[in-house]
Amino acid sequence: MTRPGPAPFRPLHRLWQQLLRLELPRQALTPWRWRDRAGVLLACVLVALVSSWPWLVEPSLRPGIPAPFTARAPKAARVVDSDALEQRRSQLGPRTHVQVVDPRLNQELQQRLERQLHETNQIAAAPLRRVTPLELSPVERRWITERTPEELAQWQQQLRLVQRRMLHQGLVTNVAERQLQQAAALQLEGEPDLARSLGSRLIASSLHGGSNLRIDAALSQQLIEDLLTQQGIPTINVRPGDVITRQGEAISPQAFAVLDYFGLVNRRPLLGAWLGHFSEALAACIVMLLLTRRWRPSLEPRQALLALAMLLVVQGCKLWFGGAAIPLALLVPPTLLLTQGLGTPAGLAWLAVASLLWPEPLDPFANQRVLVAAAVAAVAAVLAGRQRTRAQLLQLAVLLPVAALVAEWLLLQVVSATGGGDGRLPSGSDLPGEALLMGGLLLAGLLLSPLVESSFDLLTRTRLLELADLERPLLRRLSCEAPGTFEHTLMICGLAEEGARAIQADVDLIRTGALYHDVGKLHGPQWFIENQESGVNPHETLDDPATSAAILQAHVDEGLRLARRYRLPRPLADFIPEHQGTLKMGYFLHEARRRDPSVPESAYRYRGPNPRSRETAVLMLADGCEAALRSLPPDTSEDQARTMVRRILDARWQDGQLSGSGLGLAELELLVRAFVRVWRRMRHRRIPYPIPARRGYSA
């Protein structure tokens, strides 16, 4: 636990602890160091800065938002219509690319011709039939072999010059090879027919499918400006007294250009508005963390950083995509992932902050889309908390996009019928794309969830069930090396599960925790009576109560070491020390005091801590009752069994073992009845089957 600090601050420290814990805590409060708190606070500041960024760098007005005032033109003016100008630029762009010859591409095409000329030199040197890139006729081969080296070199130099002239004119990739061959033949006029036809084929083969042109951005931009100058720059004629905007109406691109021309758009940082939004976002992040940690006291700093990092990514996407941001894709997948790892309240708290901190001003229909996305995410958070397998989560990832698509389509119909949204509604074809994007992100989150769970130590339902698999390496070791302890563990599982159901505790958590609570006995199984098959107790041979008590405590310490080695989540590792709490090692304390009455009792108690959750407390009680219930004679009545179990539970209560668990006396009575129900099932009667006498057979 955290240190209380100086005396004047201890009341504040106790108040802080009470704010972070529930009255009935489910898990132990994980202490945070100062550097952990500083890191989390820095992450909150980053989220707040990104959320408030528009009010720091962007103008006070922009197209599409409601006008805060009614503006009239103070004088006549001719204003450039920047929106129409940009549209004309975008239309001219694809048709006005200026291309120039690229020397690097020229060199590649020239090297291709050089390789073909090298093949002709080899044919001339050794007139054997060989594979060549260009199919040559017997007449062409004979012509090459009959040329002297000087004639062949002169002819090849002529081909290089012809190719160079053709490249200087520019070459595109989609020119037909036949056209290239005709152009080369025209360049080789004056050569013999065979030399001209063969040379034109070589040149066309080296140039076909290639290009030596690249787009020059500067020349293209200059051409666009020249065309715009020739066609005229679009302008808006404004007369004195013309209404530019009306208060409450959306600002059009043309109205924004006129407002900017008259200096009515404030481009200075809005420090007051920015400070307000920054403080709002920072407070929202802190409240989200307090709510999450109040519900989940075992929240670790890296888990808090995961929630803040996801919020930071979502806020960054909102800024980057602006009005094109898709609320379904930004809100639903992170909510589902956080709900699995941190619980439904944590997922809903994150969803509330992510929905409220939307930096972009939205039109009415976009506001309604955010509400639909928040509703779908809230449904996902509620349903995800009840899913137990990855197959169920996969079904949820498929059904949620369908439900979101139907909800948005119905919203679109309602808005269209009422005429809302300024008449600017997204086309229906965009809705399936949004649903598909959300579904893809959900599936990607399911694929990455095992990695996220292990990296941030998240304990999801699916991970609990996977860790409860009896084929896990640590549980297999326990069943093979300490079979008595393993059977004892299975018996306690039955008692603890029934007790958890009776008081509505976390059944999955207590089942998995019960399987691992005694793994520390692997360090020396023979020291524990359930594994002593031969009946020899090594503690009697040791005859040293202090050493025997140290061996019992060692099974807790060794269990924690194995939990770290096998990377068990912290809530599961808490079952190892807390199921023993600070109980007395009664037998060895009695033996020690028989020899020395002054032996302190604290030397023969487990080091704890005491149970700090209802689940670990139920396991402690089940562990104490298992051996007693097993040893009851067959003729024991249920009332006698209840009396015995109630006596054990009362002893734990009187010893102070349950003071920090959150269990009350009424829940203890429910546990008594639950344990006896399991005992009754264990001692059910069987029908005696008759065993026939063995018959003899003759040889």
Side-chain angles (χ1 to χ4, degrees):
M1 300 298 292
T2 55
R3 296 180 180 178
F9 298 100
R10 286 176 183 173
L12 293 177
H13 183 269
R14 286 195 295 268
L15 177 62
W16 177 256
Q17 297 292 86
Q18 293 173 3
L19 288 174
L20 292 180
R21 293 179 65 100
L22 293 170
E23 292 182 3
L24 299 179
R26 293 182 180 271
Q27 294 172 356
L29 180 65
T30 301
W32 286 13
R33 294 170 295 184
W34 282 108
R35 63 179 183 182
D36 297 331
R37 297 174 183 175
V40 171
L41 182 59
L42 179 60
C44 292
V45 171
L46 288 177
V47 173
L49 182 61
V50 173
S51 301
S52 60
W53 189 255
W55 290 271
L56 188 62
V57 298
E58 295 187 6
S60 58
L61 301 177
R62 67 179 62 84
I65 68 172
F69 51 82
T70 299
R72 294 181 179 273
K75 60 180 180 179
R78 183 183 295 271
V79 182
V80 176
D81 190 346
S82 56
D83 184 66
L85 182 62
E86 186 60 32
Q87 290 182 4
R88 187 175 296 180
R89 287 175 182 269
S90 62
Q91 294 172 0
L92 290 175
R95 303 195 301 266
T96 53
H97 293 316
V98 177
Q99 296 181 326
V100 295
V101 174
D102 190 337
R104 181 181 59 83
L105 299 176
N106 269 352
Q107 186 177 3
E108 293 178 0
L109 295 173
Q110 289 170 356
Q111 290 175 355
R112 188 188 300 180
L113 178 62
E114 290 297 329
R115 287 193 295 270
Q116 296 180 357
L117 295 179
H118 178 68
E119 293 290 338
T120 60
N121 290 333
Q122 290 183 340
I123 294 174
L128 299 175
R129 185 73 180 180
R130 60 193 301 149
V131 178
T132 59
L134 187 65
E135 185 65 27
L136 301 179
S137 65
V139 177
E140 292 171 337
R141 289 177 176 273
R142 190 181 315 115
W143 182 84
I144 292 174
T145 57
E146 292 175 352
R147 300 300 99 191
T148 63
E150 293 78 11
E151 293 175 342
L152 194 60
Q154 185 178 0
W155 174 71
Q156 291 178 350
Q157 184 63 26
Q158 182 68 17
L159 297 185
R160 295 188 185 95
L161 293 175
V162 170
Q163 188 201 44
R164 192 174 299 117
R165 285 196 293 267
M166 294 178 66
L167 289 174
H168 279 304
Q169 296 174 355
L171 179 68
V172 294
T173 56
N174 54 357
V175 178
E177 186 175 6
R178 186 175 180 180
Q179 297 295 327
L180 292 172
Q181 188 173 346
Q182 291 176 357
L186 290 175
Q187 296 283 347
L188 292 172
E189 284 188 356
E191 294 288 332
D193 293 341
L194 195 56
R196 183 172 60 178
S197 63
L198 179 58
S200 61
R201 287 177 58 202
L202 287 171
I203 294 173
S205 176
S206 66
L207 298 180
H208 180 62
S211 175
N212 65 339
L213 299 177
R214 62 175 175 82
I215 298 175
D216 189 292
L219 294 178
S220 300
Q221 182 67 25
Q222 182 179 353
L223 178 59
I224 292 174
E225 299 295 340
D226 293 341
L227 292 175
L228 289 175
T229 303
Q230 295 172 7
Q231 297 179 9
I233 298 177
T235 57
I236 304 170
N237 293 321
V238 182
R239 294 173 297 181
D242 285 350
V243 176
I244 305 173
T245 59
R246 292 187 182 276
Q247 185 176 3
E249 294 182 356
I251 300 175
S252 65
Q254 291 75 22
F256 178 78
V258 176
L259 289 172
D260 195 21
Y261 177 82
F262 288 119
L264 299 177
V265 178
N266 183 9
R267 295 187 177 275
R268 294 175 298 177
L270 304 176
L271 294 180
W274 171 79
L275 185 60
H277 286 89
F278 178 85
S279 304
E280 177 187 10
L282 183 61
C285 292
I286 294 176
V287 169
M288 178 190 72
L289 292 178
L290 289 177
L291 289 175
T292 303
R293 202 172 186 207
R294 181 173 175 83
W295 171 260
R296 191 181 182 89
S298 62
L299 183 73
E300 297 184 11
R302 55 178 169 172
Q303 296 169 351
L305 289 175
L306 173 64
L308 292 172
M310 297 180 73
L311 187 60
L312 182 63
V313 171
V314 169
Q315 296 301 104
C317 290
K318 293 174 185 178
L319 285 180
W320 182 267
F321 295 105
I326 301 175
L328 284 173
L330 295 180
L331 296 181
V332 179
T335 301
L336 185 64
L337 182 61
L338 288 176
T339 299
Q340 294 178 60
L342 301 179
T344 299
L348 292 176
W350 185 93
L351 173 62
V353 174
S355 302
L356 293 175
L357 298 181
W358 208 281
E360 286 291 328
L362 302 173
D363 56 74
F365 182 72
N367 281 325
Q368 294 164 358
R369 291 176 64 200
V370 172
L371 292 177
V372 170
V376 173
V379 172
V382 173
L383 295 179
R386 302 177 181 179
Q387 309 305 306
R388 296 169 54 81
T389 64
R390 300 199 190 275
Q392 293 175 335
L393 291 172
L394 181 61
Q395 294 174 358
L396 188 63
V398 174
L399 293 177
L400 281 177
V402 177
L405 177 62
V406 173
E408 283 211 335
W409 183 82
L410 292 176
L411 175 64
L412 182 62
Q413 301 305 313
V414 171
V415 173
S416 300
T418 57
D422 297 332
R424 297 181 292 105
L425 299 175
S427 61
S429 59
D430 292 335
L431 301 183
E434 294 180 8
L436 287 175
L437 177 60
M438 185 187 77
L441 292 176
L442 288 174
L443 293 177
L446 290 180
L447 290 176
L448 295 176
S449 58
L451 178 62
V452 176
E453 291 168 3
S454 59
S455 300
F456 294 92
D457 202 22
L458 299 178
L459 192 60
T460 62
R461 294 289 167 191
T462 53
R463 192 181 183 195
L464 275 176
L465 295 179
E466 291 169 357
L467 289 171
D469 184 5
L470 297 182
E471 293 299 318
R472 302 285 294 190
L474 188 54
L475 296 180
R476 285 295 300 162
R477 279 191 59 192
L478 187 66
S479 64
C480 295
E481 301 177 23
T485 300
F486 185 70
E487 292 300 323
H488 158 78
T489 296
L490 295 181
M491 290 291 299
I492 289 181
C493 270
L495 290 171
E497 283 186 50
E498 189 69 22
R501 291 190 184 94
I503 65 172
Q504 297 183 352
D506 193 332
V507 178
D508 295 325
L509 177 62
I510 201 170
R511 179 196 301 114
T512 310
L515 289 174
Y516 290 93
H517 80 284
D518 264 347
V519 293
K521 292 183 179 180
L522 286 171
H523 84 288
Q526 72 279 3
W527 292 98
F528 302 92
I529 191 169
E530 65 267 19
N531 299 310
Q532 296 168 3
E533 298 179 359
S534 61
V536 178
N537 192 339
H539 289 284
E540 297 177 357
T541 306
L542 183 63
D543 195 26
D544 185 356
T547 304
S548 296
I551 292 173
L552 293 187
Q553 174 61 43
H555 98 273
V556 175
D557 302 334
E558 180 69 14
L560 292 174
R561 190 187 68 82
L562 287 174
R564 290 191 296 269
R565 177 180 173 185
Y566 285 87
R567 302 184 66 182
L568 291 182
R570 182 188 294 269
L572 292 183
D574 289 339
F575 280 85
I576 297 173
E578 292 181 21
H579 88 278
Q580 294 289 1
T582 56
L583 289 173
K584 290 186 294 186
M585 305 174 195
Y587 177 80
F588 297 115
L589 176 61
H590 173 75
E591 287 295 318
R593 283 188 169 174
R594 185 172 60 84
R595 304 179 185 189
D596 182 6
S598 64
V599 170
E601 182 181 290
S602 59
Y604 288 86
R605 281 186 178 270
Y606 287 98
R607 290 198 290 266
N610 288 335
R612 294 173 291 182
S613 69
R614 298 196 301 168
E615 286 75 18
T616 55
V618 170
L619 184 64
M620 168 187 276
L621 300 177
D623 192 18
C625 295
E626 184 266 339
L629 288 172
R630 189 197 293 266
S631 63
L632 290 177
D635 57 347
T636 304
S637 66
E638 290 190 18
D639 290 338
Q640 292 173 331
R642 287 197 191 97
T643 301
M644 186 269 296
V645 172
R646 191 176 292 111
R647 185 169 61 250
I648 295 175
L649 269 59
D650 287 343
R652 299 288 192 271
W653 177 274
Q654 295 298 330
D655 197 28
Q657 300 297 317
L658 307 178
S659 59
S661 66
L663 290 180
L665 293 176
E667 290 174 309
L668 290 183
E669 185 60 29
L670 292 176
L671 290 175
V672 170
R673 300 181 180 220
F675 291 164
V676 173
R677 282 198 302 270
V678 177
W679 168 78
R680 188 171 63 243
R681 294 198 298 263
M682 291 165 48
R683 60 186 291 270
H684 63 277
R685 297 178 59 190
R686 303 284 301 196
I687 298 176
Y689 288 89
I691 302 176
R694 179 174 299 181
R695 297 175 59 185
Y697 295 91
S698 62

